[in-house]
Amino acid sequence: FGYNTSVLAAIETYRGLFVWSAGNNGENLDEINGIEEFSLDNLISVGAHDNAGERSIWNSEESSNYGEIVNIYAPSRCYTTHSTSNNSYRTFGGTSAAAPHVAGVAALLLSMDSNLTALDLKNIILKL
């Protein structure tokens, strides 16, 4: 997040659902000047949670961003689909790992009803 009018305009005109990773700086995003303009019908902000369902805190400098502007939290660790040089899989985490979970739910919902709007998807996902 951040106050960028060109990004905001692009999201506002996008007809689909925009799934945004909230970031991993441990910041309360509600304190960003102008952040309320990003409360859009077609945008879901995704934070990361740990295996206990709590906001992910990895160390003293890195944790999931939070605040009222963060709409939903999803698992922060997942396995990559690309094998490493020793032919094993690795994990990665953060809100960049959490957001694809939400995007996947949106895709599954659209596969059941392709007439759902971005607002419909957002409302359904936030009620799950």
Side-chain angles (χ1 to χ4, degrees):
F1 275 114
Y3 190 72
N4 182 315
T5 55
S6 61
V7 170
L8 181 61
I11 297 169
E12 287 175 323
T13 59
Y14 181 60
R15 292 183 54 222
L17 183 65
F18 195 95
V19 179
W20 189 303
S21 298
N24 305 312
N25 304 326
E27 296 178 40
N28 181 347
L29 297 181
D30 297 340
E31 295 175 357
I32 295 175
N33 186 32
I35 196 68
E36 64 279 353
E37 293 192 38
F38 282 85
S39 291
L40 303 171
D41 289 345
N42 67 330
L43 185 144
I44 293 181
S45 172
V46 183
H49 71 67
D50 60 20
N51 60 357
E54 301 293 326
R55 181 174 65 92
S56 290
I57 299 173
W58 300 286
N59 57 51
S60 62
E61 296 176 2
E62 296 177 310
S63 65
S64 175
N65 288 345
Y66 61 95
E68 294 296 318
I69 195 72
V70 179
N71 302 116
I72 195 167
Y73 291 80
S76 65
R77 291 274 175 218
C78 59
Y79 287 95
T80 63
T81 56
H82 302 286
S83 63
T84 61
S85 60
N86 63 355
N87 216 20
S88 63
Y89 292 93
R90 66 178 183 89
T91 62
F92 78 104
T95 60
S96 293
H101 293 287
V102 176
V105 170
L108 288 171
L109 290 167
L110 279 173
S111 75
M112 295 182 342
D113 183 351
S114 61
N115 294 314
L116 292 171
T117 67
L119 180 58
D120 294 334
L121 290 168
K122 181 175 182 175
N123 287 334
I124 293 167
I125 290 169
L126 295 184
K127 288 179 184 174
L128 293 176

